[in-house]
Amino acid sequence: LIIVATLAIIAATIAIIALSPKCLDWWQSSPIYQVYPKSFRDSDGDGSGDLKGVQEKIDHFVYLGVKTVWVAPFYKSTLKDYRYAVDDFRQVDPSFGTMADFENMLSALHDKGIKLIIDLIPNHTSDKHNWFQLSRTRTDKYTDYYIWEDCAVVDTRVVPPNNWVSMYGNSAWEYDSVRKQCYFHQFRKEQPDLNLHNPDVNKEILDIISFWLEKGVDGFTVDAAKFLLEAEHLRDEPQVNKTQPPNLVTSYSDLYHDYTTTQVGMHDILRNFRQTMNKYSREPGRYRFMGTESNDHNMVAKTMLYYGNSFIEEADLPLNFYLYDLNKDISGNSIYDTVDLWMRSMPKGKWPHWMVGNSRNSRVASRVGKDYVNVLNMLLLTLPGTPTTYYGEELGMMDNPALNENSYPSAEYDPSEYPEKTPMQWDSSLNAGFNGGNTTWLPVNQDYKELNVEVQMQEANSTLNLYRDILNLRKGELPLHRGWMCYAFHDPNIFAYVREIDGLNKVFMVVLNFGAPTSVDIKNKVKDIPAQAKIRLSTISANNGKSVNTENISTQRGEGIILEYKTNKPLHNKEEFKNSCFISEKACYSSAFNLLYKNC
Amino acid sequence: LIIVATLAIIAATIAIIALSPKCLDWWQSSPIYQVYPKSFRDSDGDGSGDLKGVQEKIDHFVYLGVKTVWVAPFYKSTLKDYRYAVDDFRQVDPSFGTMADFENMLSALHDKGIKLIIDLIPNHTSDKHNWFQLSRTRTDKYTDYYIWEDCAVVDTRVVPPNNWVSMYGNSAWEYDSVRKQCYFHQFRKEQPDLNLHNPDVNKEILDIISFWLEKGVDGFTVDAAKFLLEAEHLRDEPQVNKTQPPNLVTSYSDLYHDYTTTQVGMHDILRNFRQTMNKYSREPGRYRFMGTESNDHNMVAKTMLYYGNSFIEEADLPLNFYLYDLNKDISGNSIYDTVDLWMRSMPKGKWPHWMVGNSRNSRVASRVGKDYVNVLNMLLLTLPGTPTTYYGEELGMMDNPALNENSYPSAEYDPSEYPEKTPMQWDSSLNAGFNGGNTTWLPVNQDYKELNVEVQMQEANSTLNLYRDILNLRKGELPLHRGWMCYAFHDPNIFAYVREIDGLNKVFMVVLNFGAPTSVDIKNKVKDIPAQAKIRLSTISANNGKSVNTENISTQRGEGIILEYKTNKPLHNKEEFKNSCFISEKACYSSAFNLLYKNC
Ligand SMILES: [Ca+2]
Ligand SMILES: [Ca+2]
């Protein structure tokens, strides 16, 4: 009998293991922390952050519990700002250090179990790139590396080949006096677009991917993905306002970008990048991640195409720019709409992405408001999917009021226009601990004495410690990183949702206040919820562990609470919640074996 | 010693077999013979050809040596012509017989080792299709099966949603009085376009593919592929002539079709079709073929996208419409240009397609001229790739002069406009042997007493027997179906090319005259050719087997000759022919083992 029982247990164990769903991969299980390296930590005191500086601050990622770091571009570039105009994709810009510094930083991250994502910038180079120099002189295969076209010169005025405008509103064509032709630039004139119709150019990009993956980099986000191809017929793009005189078309929003974005063949170029990354993913435990950057505004279906489809892989996730577009008009309903837009549009079985800020937009504390920093962090870290945190958002850093935000500045590379890029605020010492030198490339925000890592580490109720606590809770509780998300309630003030997983009767409800102080009767919406629920975590730490009456849940403006309760009637099985629930990866929990399994 | 030698031979044999390239698949090794079933053979004497009629004529395919037959649409359709407006994709139209007739025909073809290709028509249905009836009444999931849009009605005149025109030049929008909306039709108003943005519609098409593949069909050509998706924004398409008053835009060629053809996502729809076909290809020896039909005129790059790419399969081949566009202005140079356009544009390792006529264009004997029928058949059957022959082209059948050709007729389904669809000319009996009845749906061409299968079978020098002889030669001689094609010479009169394979010193040169009688010194162009070569096959059969002086090869207008000679210096190894040679599937020949092998 004992033998039979033993065999039965072995058989059951084998069956359960065979049915177990795969673990979440590294890019799914941690938030991505985006470092703007020029502003993170300046190791040598020259005023500019560097890669050694990132390495010096690895303990900060460890403290937060973050396992994925995305370091914004550090490639060789003569331009002074964004660093998206690259002179050489295989060199570290001296201002950031050396290739040895990069390799040391990567090793140090890996030693702590942290993955590194970097930017792939296939759409354009800087005009200092060797390829461009060889192209403007029509040298061999480089002749067609960029998008060249004849342009008439009438009375010394250049007439561009068509009406296409750059992101900055001027003509997207620039005359080159060496080649005596115009080249196309989707961004600045110092950033000529590569010709990705050319197989040789694609080969170059694949080689660059291999170069960094062989160094051990864990993945890429592909910059400016929708701009990778332009229509070869070069027809004028249609005007939004047909009656506008063509010579007054000077703004990017004056045209429909039917011929310069999302052209046929563009996704195949990205899928080809992916194929090369996959070769490196075959090493056990070394999955290489691919994200895509494409802000398609109200055309969410275009963004979803980057997920690929059932028979061909593309990005693991496209970056989600919809929360990033939120401003002071925030409300419970607007957050619900924004979350729901993604969840409803995403292909089945794919993994969501959430992001409230990055290096190209005003900081969330300034754009949306200080009051909402904590509740937005709670949202990011409790939705299903991978959140991204821009450096300093874990503190609630503000734009520097001494600088002016302008999402597409007209002046050329004026650092005074980048208030969201001021130095990271580490402590109350000189220059907020960014460096010990005399100078910083951008002025440190004057609030740094109160708002910095050191101070917030001491405060139990700080934004920093709340971020850390939510992330710890997320890691420790299965329903907060796997399973279902169901909408429970939303109105102008409140957005509330439930996280649950089949087989586990422990459920979490997240109640977030984006409006006025209010009290809601959640029990009226979600009948089977117990009369009392425990506050597992609140943005107001004094409330942690308290019990609330679910018929009367009070929250303040910007307050967020994570409630925990037990129920055997999960929402996703109820008819009335059929269209309010989403799951990315089906998994069920067996308490008997403390195991996840599928086919449930 | 004998044992060692035996082992060595065994080892060598194993190595050679291991290195052997795969055999050409069935769709690569035979021409495709396209049957227009309404006009091929009428088994029951009602005036219309039928599937039983096709079955009755299988011996004709056997006589020709053709192993692949493409039967044009026979689906249930109330329309009287092309049969591309289908009421039910799973039924045989009664005029063609029954499903049992189809199954019998298919079995009979398979019994003779002949494969069957049919049309997949995913772009549209007829307006009699049940889906359209359910869609116009907004019934459940069918509501969005078609492309519906509100359209204003001003003084009883319908104002369409935009300026899109159908292939026939009228507005592509038709008002439906039941649904009180407009629907989009790329072709006739009785052919509403399916909404392939809708996953349910895609699922329907996949089910239809499975339906026919389960019956045993060997493949599909996908009709109207470039039209599968339309831009959802419905913006006006740009006018070719910007100053044309919009109300005068009535012709298809008045607009650039940027929003109604080749939209992003279209290739993924086709690749998804392909995925379903691949499931059936796993049966040993049952590879299922997919071709695509898209005439992209001067945008050959768009056609080439249907080949898929290195990491995802799409069509085995897109139909080649470039020879099909040729007319009486034919010349040695124009044929060279047309062949070269495809060869240069085709992705590496892909397999070409060649076609001079089909059911939607005037017959080649009328369009290009009787004099060129034989030389064009010789071209088709000696180029690398898969040729397609429209029924009757193997006889040189003419358009019926009693009817008027019109590639997009304005009148509705007027059979008098289809001079290339007259009954197949089998013999000199009543109705050319098409049937023994009193009536034929189109008048038999009056030339049938001299121009028919029976007569041509008796004539050694007939078009029919030449077709058969070339095909037999192609099958028997390795370089004529595998290996390299190199251009040898072209001028206004002559197009000449060489077929050769590594390791075999037997070479074929095809010299085709598309102009005036002329004499060329090929030896001057191709230095290593012997002074004498043997005419293996000529369009003038009396010349077969003769020897010619390669410094002075004389041909008449419309004459074609296949020369055979021996050389150890193949053209594709010569520097000066580097850019004149193409290969689809690398293979070399070993005379020691009489084997093909790769890695050469
Ligand atoms: Ca571009
Ligand atoms: Ca369509």
PDB file of all heavy atoms in Angstrom, chain A residues 235-236 238 242 256 258-259 262 264 268 271 309 311, chain B residues 235-236 238 242 256 258-259 262 264 268 271 309 311:
ATOM      1  N   ARG A 235       5.717  60.753 -52.238  1.00  0.00           N
ATOM      2  CA  ARG A 235       4.600  61.674 -52.473  1.00  0.00           C
ATOM      3  C   ARG A 235       4.376  62.565 -51.258  1.00  0.00           C
ATOM      4  O   ARG A 235       4.670  62.185 -50.134  1.00  0.00           O
ATOM      5  CB  ARG A 235       3.320  60.870 -52.717  1.00  0.00           C
ATOM      6  CG  ARG A 235       3.298  60.195 -54.046  1.00  0.00           C
ATOM      7  CD  ARG A 235       1.881  59.773 -54.413  1.00  0.00           C
ATOM      8  NE  ARG A 235       1.607  58.377 -54.150  1.00  0.00           N
ATOM      9  CZ  ARG A 235       2.048  57.359 -54.890  1.00  0.00           C
ATOM     10  NH1 ARG A 235       2.837  57.571 -55.927  1.00  0.00           N
ATOM     11  NH2 ARG A 235       1.711  56.113 -54.599  1.00  0.00           N
ATOM     12  N   ASP A 236       3.825  63.745 -51.496  1.00  0.00           N
ATOM     13  CA  ASP A 236       3.440  64.638 -50.403  1.00  0.00           C
ATOM     14  C   ASP A 236       2.535  63.903 -49.420  1.00  0.00           C
ATOM     15  O   ASP A 236       1.647  63.148 -49.827  1.00  0.00           O
ATOM     16  CB  ASP A 236       2.654  65.849 -50.950  1.00  0.00           C
ATOM     17  CG  ASP A 236       3.570  66.898 -51.554  1.00  0.00           C
ATOM     18  OD1 ASP A 236       4.811  66.772 -51.434  1.00  0.00           O
ATOM     19  OD2 ASP A 236       3.037  67.846 -52.157  1.00  0.00           O
ATOM     20  N   PRO A 238      -0.633  63.892 -46.890  1.00  0.00           N
ATOM     21  CA  PRO A 238      -1.871  64.690 -46.917  1.00  0.00           C
ATOM     22  C   PRO A 238      -1.928  65.686 -45.752  1.00  0.00           C
ATOM     23  O   PRO A 238      -1.519  65.376 -44.636  1.00  0.00           O
ATOM     24  CB  PRO A 238      -2.979  63.650 -46.803  1.00  0.00           C
ATOM     25  CG  PRO A 238      -2.328  62.374 -46.411  1.00  0.00           C
ATOM     26  CD  PRO A 238      -0.878  62.455 -46.707  1.00  0.00           C
ATOM     27  N   LYS A 242      -7.071  70.619 -45.345  1.00  0.00           N
ATOM     28  CA  LYS A 242      -6.806  70.668 -46.784  1.00  0.00           C
ATOM     29  C   LYS A 242      -6.709  72.073 -47.334  1.00  0.00           C
ATOM     30  O   LYS A 242      -6.109  72.304 -48.389  1.00  0.00           O
ATOM     31  CB  LYS A 242      -7.918  69.918 -47.546  1.00  0.00           C
ATOM     32  CG  LYS A 242      -7.809  68.420 -47.439  1.00  0.00           C
ATOM     33  CD  LYS A 242      -8.836  67.760 -48.349  1.00  0.00           C
ATOM     34  CE  LYS A 242      -8.903  66.269 -48.062  1.00  0.00           C
ATOM     35  NZ  LYS A 242      -9.902  65.610 -48.920  1.00  0.00           N
ATOM     36  N   TYR A 256      -0.799  64.253 -42.049  1.00  0.00           N
ATOM     37  CA  TYR A 256      -0.962  62.842 -41.704  1.00  0.00           C
ATOM     38  C   TYR A 256       0.292  62.111 -42.168  1.00  0.00           C
ATOM     39  O   TYR A 256       0.660  62.220 -43.350  1.00  0.00           O
ATOM     40  CB  TYR A 256      -2.181  62.247 -42.405  1.00  0.00           C
ATOM     41  CG  TYR A 256      -3.506  62.779 -41.925  1.00  0.00           C
ATOM     42  CD1 TYR A 256      -4.322  63.524 -42.777  1.00  0.00           C
ATOM     43  CD2 TYR A 256      -3.958  62.518 -40.637  1.00  0.00           C
ATOM     44  CE1 TYR A 256      -5.551  63.999 -42.349  1.00  0.00           C
ATOM     45  CE2 TYR A 256      -5.182  62.993 -40.203  1.00  0.00           C
ATOM     46  CZ  TYR A 256      -5.983  63.736 -41.061  1.00  0.00           C
ATOM     47  OH  TYR A 256      -7.186  64.205 -40.636  1.00  0.00           O
ATOM     48  N   ASP A 258       1.357  59.373 -43.351  1.00  0.00           N
ATOM     49  CA  ASP A 258       1.061  58.103 -44.013  1.00  0.00           C
ATOM     50  C   ASP A 258       2.255  57.530 -44.762  1.00  0.00           C
ATOM     51  O   ASP A 258       2.279  56.337 -45.074  1.00  0.00           O
ATOM     52  CB  ASP A 258      -0.084  58.300 -45.021  1.00  0.00           C
ATOM     53  CG  ASP A 258      -1.384  58.673 -44.329  1.00  0.00           C
ATOM     54  OD1 ASP A 258      -1.568  58.283 -43.162  1.00  0.00           O
ATOM     55  OD2 ASP A 258      -2.217  59.367 -44.964  1.00  0.00           O
ATOM     56  N   TYR A 259       3.243  58.361 -45.084  1.00  0.00           N
ATOM     57  CA  TYR A 259       4.360  57.882 -45.909  1.00  0.00           C
ATOM     58  C   TYR A 259       5.690  57.860 -45.157  1.00  0.00           C
ATOM     59  O   TYR A 259       6.706  57.450 -45.713  1.00  0.00           O
ATOM     60  CB  TYR A 259       4.494  58.757 -47.166  1.00  0.00           C
ATOM     61  CG  TYR A 259       3.248  58.788 -48.017  1.00  0.00           C
ATOM     62  CD1 TYR A 259       2.834  59.971 -48.640  1.00  0.00           C
ATOM     63  CD2 TYR A 259       2.472  57.651 -48.197  1.00  0.00           C
ATOM     64  CE1 TYR A 259       1.692  60.003 -49.429  1.00  0.00           C
ATOM     65  CE2 TYR A 259       1.323  57.669 -48.970  1.00  0.00           C
ATOM     66  CZ  TYR A 259       0.938  58.850 -49.579  1.00  0.00           C
ATOM     67  OH  TYR A 259      -0.197  58.880 -50.358  1.00  0.00           O
ATOM     68  N   THR A 262       5.301  53.686 -40.124  1.00  0.00           N
ATOM     69  CA  THR A 262       4.607  52.388 -40.204  1.00  0.00           C
ATOM     70  C   THR A 262       4.384  51.924 -41.635  1.00  0.00           C
ATOM     71  O   THR A 262       3.270  51.571 -42.030  1.00  0.00           O
ATOM     72  CB  THR A 262       3.252  52.448 -39.448  1.00  0.00           C
ATOM     73  OG1 THR A 262       3.415  53.243 -38.272  1.00  0.00           O
ATOM     74  CG2 THR A 262       2.798  51.069 -39.019  1.00  0.00           C
ATOM     75  N   VAL A 264       4.788  49.394 -44.938  1.00  0.00           N
ATOM     76  CA  VAL A 264       4.865  47.953 -45.182  1.00  0.00           C
ATOM     77  C   VAL A 264       6.336  47.528 -45.198  1.00  0.00           C
ATOM     78  O   VAL A 264       7.150  48.177 -45.847  1.00  0.00           O
ATOM     79  CB  VAL A 264       4.195  47.611 -46.529  1.00  0.00           C
ATOM     80  CG1 VAL A 264       4.555  46.197 -46.973  1.00  0.00           C
ATOM     81  CG2 VAL A 264       2.694  47.757 -46.417  1.00  0.00           C
ATOM     82  N   ASP A 268       8.889  43.650 -40.576  1.00  0.00           N
ATOM     83  CA  ASP A 268       9.848  42.595 -40.927  1.00  0.00           C
ATOM     84  C   ASP A 268      11.268  43.003 -40.556  1.00  0.00           C
ATOM     85  O   ASP A 268      12.085  42.149 -40.194  1.00  0.00           O
ATOM     86  CB  ASP A 268       9.766  42.263 -42.418  1.00  0.00           C
ATOM     87  CG  ASP A 268       8.595  41.330 -42.721  1.00  0.00           C
ATOM     88  OD1 ASP A 268       7.945  40.872 -41.766  1.00  0.00           O
ATOM     89  OD2 ASP A 268       8.355  41.053 -43.902  1.00  0.00           O
ATOM     90  N   ARG A 271      11.451  42.309 -36.927  1.00  0.00           N
ATOM     91  CA  ARG A 271      11.455  40.863 -36.682  1.00  0.00           C
ATOM     92  C   ARG A 271      12.816  40.271 -37.020  1.00  0.00           C
ATOM     93  O   ARG A 271      13.242  39.297 -36.418  1.00  0.00           O
ATOM     94  CB  ARG A 271      10.364  40.203 -37.518  1.00  0.00           C
ATOM     95  CG  ARG A 271       8.977  40.581 -37.051  1.00  0.00           C
ATOM     96  CD  ARG A 271       7.931  40.235 -38.090  1.00  0.00           C
ATOM     97  NE  ARG A 271       6.627  40.745 -37.696  1.00  0.00           N
ATOM     98  CZ  ARG A 271       5.515  40.535 -38.398  1.00  0.00           C
ATOM     99  NH1 ARG A 271       5.548  39.832 -39.511  1.00  0.00           N
ATOM    100  NH2 ARG A 271       4.371  41.030 -37.975  1.00  0.00           N
ATOM    101  N   ASN A 309       2.731  38.334 -33.850  1.00  0.00           N
ATOM    102  CA  ASN A 309       1.470  37.591 -33.843  1.00  0.00           C
ATOM    103  C   ASN A 309       1.724  36.135 -33.528  1.00  0.00           C
ATOM    104  O   ASN A 309       2.814  35.760 -33.102  1.00  0.00           O
ATOM    105  CB  ASN A 309       0.739  37.789 -35.170  1.00  0.00           C
ATOM    106  CG  ASN A 309       1.627  37.433 -36.327  1.00  0.00           C
ATOM    107  OD1 ASN A 309       2.341  36.439 -36.265  1.00  0.00           O
ATOM    108  ND2 ASN A 309       1.644  38.246 -37.361  1.00  0.00           N
ATOM    109  N   PHE A 311       2.392  33.548 -35.077  1.00  0.00           N
ATOM    110  CA  PHE A 311       3.381  32.705 -35.758  1.00  0.00           C
ATOM    111  C   PHE A 311       4.735  33.370 -35.945  1.00  0.00           C
ATOM    112  O   PHE A 311       5.661  32.727 -36.435  1.00  0.00           O
ATOM    113  CB  PHE A 311       2.832  32.217 -37.102  1.00  0.00           C
ATOM    114  CG  PHE A 311       2.288  33.304 -37.965  1.00  0.00           C
ATOM    115  CD1 PHE A 311       3.111  33.972 -38.847  1.00  0.00           C
ATOM    116  CD2 PHE A 311       0.962  33.673 -37.882  1.00  0.00           C
ATOM    117  CE1 PHE A 311       2.623  34.980 -39.643  1.00  0.00           C
ATOM    118  CE2 PHE A 311       0.465  34.687 -38.675  1.00  0.00           C
ATOM    119  CZ  PHE A 311       1.292  35.342 -39.551  1.00  0.00           C
TER     120      PHE A 311
ATOM    121  N   ARG B 235      -9.046  57.950 -45.430  1.00  0.00           N
ATOM    122  CA  ARG B 235      -8.739  59.236 -46.070  1.00  0.00           C
ATOM    123  C   ARG B 235      -8.800  59.104 -47.587  1.00  0.00           C
ATOM    124  O   ARG B 235      -8.562  58.035 -48.131  1.00  0.00           O
ATOM    125  CB  ARG B 235      -7.321  59.664 -45.689  1.00  0.00           C
ATOM    126  CG  ARG B 235      -7.211  60.141 -44.272  1.00  0.00           C
ATOM    127  CD  ARG B 235      -5.937  60.937 -44.078  1.00  0.00           C
ATOM    128  NE  ARG B 235      -4.866  60.183 -43.453  1.00  0.00           N
ATOM    129  CZ  ARG B 235      -4.807  59.839 -42.173  1.00  0.00           C
ATOM    130  NH1 ARG B 235      -5.801  60.134 -41.347  1.00  0.00           N
ATOM    131  NH2 ARG B 235      -3.772  59.176 -41.678  1.00  0.00           N
ATOM    132  N   ASP B 236      -9.079  60.209 -48.255  1.00  0.00           N
ATOM    133  CA  ASP B 236      -9.043  60.248 -49.715  1.00  0.00           C
ATOM    134  C   ASP B 236      -7.693  59.757 -50.214  1.00  0.00           C
ATOM    135  O   ASP B 236      -6.653  60.106 -49.640  1.00  0.00           O
ATOM    136  CB  ASP B 236      -9.248  61.689 -50.226  1.00  0.00           C
ATOM    137  CG  ASP B 236     -10.709  62.102 -50.206  1.00  0.00           C
ATOM    138  OD1 ASP B 236     -11.587  61.244 -49.958  1.00  0.00           O
ATOM    139  OD2 ASP B 236     -10.968  63.302 -50.450  1.00  0.00           O
ATOM    140  N   PRO B 238      -4.609  60.035 -52.835  1.00  0.00           N
ATOM    141  CA  PRO B 238      -4.109  61.193 -53.594  1.00  0.00           C
ATOM    142  C   PRO B 238      -4.358  61.053 -55.092  1.00  0.00           C
ATOM    143  O   PRO B 238      -4.263  59.969 -55.650  1.00  0.00           O
ATOM    144  CB  PRO B 238      -2.603  61.200 -53.295  1.00  0.00           C
ATOM    145  CG  PRO B 238      -2.287  59.898 -52.655  1.00  0.00           C
ATOM    146  CD  PRO B 238      -3.547  59.290 -52.152  1.00  0.00           C
ATOM    147  N   LYS B 242      -3.040  66.453 -59.570  1.00  0.00           N
ATOM    148  CA  LYS B 242      -3.604  67.210 -58.453  1.00  0.00           C
ATOM    149  C   LYS B 242      -4.611  68.257 -58.884  1.00  0.00           C
ATOM    150  O   LYS B 242      -5.454  68.680 -58.094  1.00  0.00           O
ATOM    151  CB  LYS B 242      -2.479  67.901 -57.671  1.00  0.00           C
ATOM    152  CG  LYS B 242      -1.679  66.945 -56.807  1.00  0.00           C
ATOM    153  CD  LYS B 242      -0.700  67.733 -55.947  1.00  0.00           C
ATOM    154  CE  LYS B 242       0.269  66.790 -55.252  1.00  0.00           C
ATOM    155  NZ  LYS B 242       1.286  67.514 -54.482  1.00  0.00           N
ATOM    156  N   TYR B 256      -3.587  57.374 -56.752  1.00  0.00           N
ATOM    157  CA  TYR B 256      -2.567  56.483 -56.190  1.00  0.00           C
ATOM    158  C   TYR B 256      -3.244  55.649 -55.105  1.00  0.00           C
ATOM    159  O   TYR B 256      -3.865  56.218 -54.194  1.00  0.00           O
ATOM    160  CB  TYR B 256      -1.423  57.281 -55.567  1.00  0.00           C
ATOM    161  CG  TYR B 256      -0.586  58.040 -56.553  1.00  0.00           C
ATOM    162  CD1 TYR B 256      -0.557  59.437 -56.556  1.00  0.00           C
ATOM    163  CD2 TYR B 256       0.200  57.368 -57.475  1.00  0.00           C
ATOM    164  CE1 TYR B 256       0.236  60.141 -57.448  1.00  0.00           C
ATOM    165  CE2 TYR B 256       1.004  58.062 -58.383  1.00  0.00           C
ATOM    166  CZ  TYR B 256       1.015  59.445 -58.362  1.00  0.00           C
ATOM    167  OH  TYR B 256       1.801  60.128 -59.244  1.00  0.00           O
ATOM    168  N   ASP B 258      -2.772  54.267 -52.300  1.00  0.00           N
ATOM    169  CA  ASP B 258      -1.971  54.145 -51.087  1.00  0.00           C
ATOM    170  C   ASP B 258      -2.756  53.608 -49.891  1.00  0.00           C
ATOM    171  O   ASP B 258      -2.155  53.156 -48.924  1.00  0.00           O
ATOM    172  CB  ASP B 258      -1.412  55.527 -50.708  1.00  0.00           C
ATOM    173  CG  ASP B 258      -0.451  56.048 -51.756  1.00  0.00           C
ATOM    174  OD1 ASP B 258       0.180  55.228 -52.432  1.00  0.00           O
ATOM    175  OD2 ASP B 258      -0.343  57.288 -51.899  1.00  0.00           O
ATOM    176  N   TYR B 259      -4.075  53.692 -49.943  1.00  0.00           N
ATOM    177  CA  TYR B 259      -4.870  53.290 -48.779  1.00  0.00           C
ATOM    178  C   TYR B 259      -5.727  52.043 -49.033  1.00  0.00           C
ATOM    179  O   TYR B 259      -6.401  51.575 -48.123  1.00  0.00           O
ATOM    180  CB  TYR B 259      -5.775  54.443 -48.337  1.00  0.00           C
ATOM    181  CG  TYR B 259      -5.005  55.707 -47.983  1.00  0.00           C
ATOM    182  CD1 TYR B 259      -5.506  56.965 -48.327  1.00  0.00           C
ATOM    183  CD2 TYR B 259      -3.784  55.630 -47.319  1.00  0.00           C
ATOM    184  CE1 TYR B 259      -4.805  58.115 -48.006  1.00  0.00           C
ATOM    185  CE2 TYR B 259      -3.072  56.774 -47.005  1.00  0.00           C
ATOM    186  CZ  TYR B 259      -3.593  58.010 -47.345  1.00  0.00           C
ATOM    187  OH  TYR B 259      -2.895  59.154 -47.029  1.00  0.00           O
ATOM    188  N   THR B 262      -1.869  46.915 -50.377  1.00  0.00           N
ATOM    189  CA  THR B 262      -0.596  46.646 -49.671  1.00  0.00           C
ATOM    190  C   THR B 262      -0.488  47.409 -48.354  1.00  0.00           C
ATOM    191  O   THR B 262       0.505  48.070 -48.088  1.00  0.00           O
ATOM    192  CB  THR B 262       0.611  47.004 -50.591  1.00  0.00           C
ATOM    193  OG1 THR B 262       0.305  46.643 -51.928  1.00  0.00           O
ATOM    194  CG2 THR B 262       1.852  46.249 -50.162  1.00  0.00           C
ATOM    195  N   VAL B 264      -0.125  47.836 -44.216  1.00  0.00           N
ATOM    196  CA  VAL B 264       0.584  47.162 -43.127  1.00  0.00           C
ATOM    197  C   VAL B 264      -0.336  46.098 -42.523  1.00  0.00           C
ATOM    198  O   VAL B 264      -1.494  46.379 -42.255  1.00  0.00           O
ATOM    199  CB  VAL B 264       0.994  48.174 -42.038  1.00  0.00           C
ATOM    200  CG1 VAL B 264       1.424  47.469 -40.759  1.00  0.00           C
ATOM    201  CG2 VAL B 264       2.115  49.050 -42.549  1.00  0.00           C
ATOM    202  N   ASP B 268       0.935  39.671 -43.069  1.00  0.00           N
ATOM    203  CA  ASP B 268       0.704  38.764 -41.937  1.00  0.00           C
ATOM    204  C   ASP B 268      -0.556  37.942 -42.146  1.00  0.00           C
ATOM    205  O   ASP B 268      -0.633  36.786 -41.718  1.00  0.00           O
ATOM    206  CB  ASP B 268       0.615  39.543 -40.624  1.00  0.00           C
ATOM    207  CG  ASP B 268       1.995  39.897 -40.097  1.00  0.00           C
ATOM    208  OD1 ASP B 268       2.998  39.453 -40.696  1.00  0.00           O
ATOM    209  OD2 ASP B 268       2.078  40.612 -39.089  1.00  0.00           O
ATOM    210  N   ARG B 271       0.524  35.239 -44.425  1.00  0.00           N
ATOM    211  CA  ARG B 271       1.397  34.290 -43.731  1.00  0.00           C
ATOM    212  C   ARG B 271       0.594  33.390 -42.807  1.00  0.00           C
ATOM    213  O   ARG B 271       0.958  32.247 -42.579  1.00  0.00           O
ATOM    214  CB  ARG B 271       2.453  35.069 -42.938  1.00  0.00           C
ATOM    215  CG  ARG B 271       3.439  35.780 -43.841  1.00  0.00           C
ATOM    216  CD  ARG B 271       4.205  36.833 -43.073  1.00  0.00           C
ATOM    217  NE  ARG B 271       5.041  37.627 -43.977  1.00  0.00           N
ATOM    218  CZ  ARG B 271       5.874  38.570 -43.575  1.00  0.00           C
ATOM    219  NH1 ARG B 271       5.992  38.840 -42.283  1.00  0.00           N
ATOM    220  NH2 ARG B 271       6.588  39.243 -44.448  1.00  0.00           N
ATOM    221  N   ASN B 309      10.371  36.179 -46.275  1.00  0.00           N
ATOM    222  CA  ASN B 309      11.785  36.488 -46.110  1.00  0.00           C
ATOM    223  C   ASN B 309      12.491  35.364 -45.376  1.00  0.00           C
ATOM    224  O   ASN B 309      11.930  34.286 -45.213  1.00  0.00           O
ATOM    225  CB  ASN B 309      11.944  37.834 -45.401  1.00  0.00           C
ATOM    226  CG  ASN B 309      11.182  37.848 -44.105  1.00  0.00           C
ATOM    227  OD1 ASN B 309      11.215  36.881 -43.372  1.00  0.00           O
ATOM    228  ND2 ASN B 309      10.455  38.923 -43.833  1.00  0.00           N
ATOM    229  N   PHE B 311      13.087  34.545 -42.473  1.00  0.00           N
ATOM    230  CA  PHE B 311      12.631  33.953 -41.215  1.00  0.00           C
ATOM    231  C   PHE B 311      11.141  33.638 -41.181  1.00  0.00           C
ATOM    232  O   PHE B 311      10.659  33.070 -40.210  1.00  0.00           O
ATOM    233  CB  PHE B 311      13.013  34.835 -40.020  1.00  0.00           C
ATOM    234  CG  PHE B 311      12.617  36.271 -40.176  1.00  0.00           C
ATOM    235  CD1 PHE B 311      11.394  36.697 -39.711  1.00  0.00           C
ATOM    236  CD2 PHE B 311      13.457  37.168 -40.786  1.00  0.00           C
ATOM    237  CE1 PHE B 311      11.011  38.012 -39.852  1.00  0.00           C
ATOM    238  CE2 PHE B 311      13.071  38.491 -40.935  1.00  0.00           C
ATOM    239  CZ  PHE B 311      11.855  38.909 -40.471  1.00  0.00           C
TER     240      PHE B 311
END
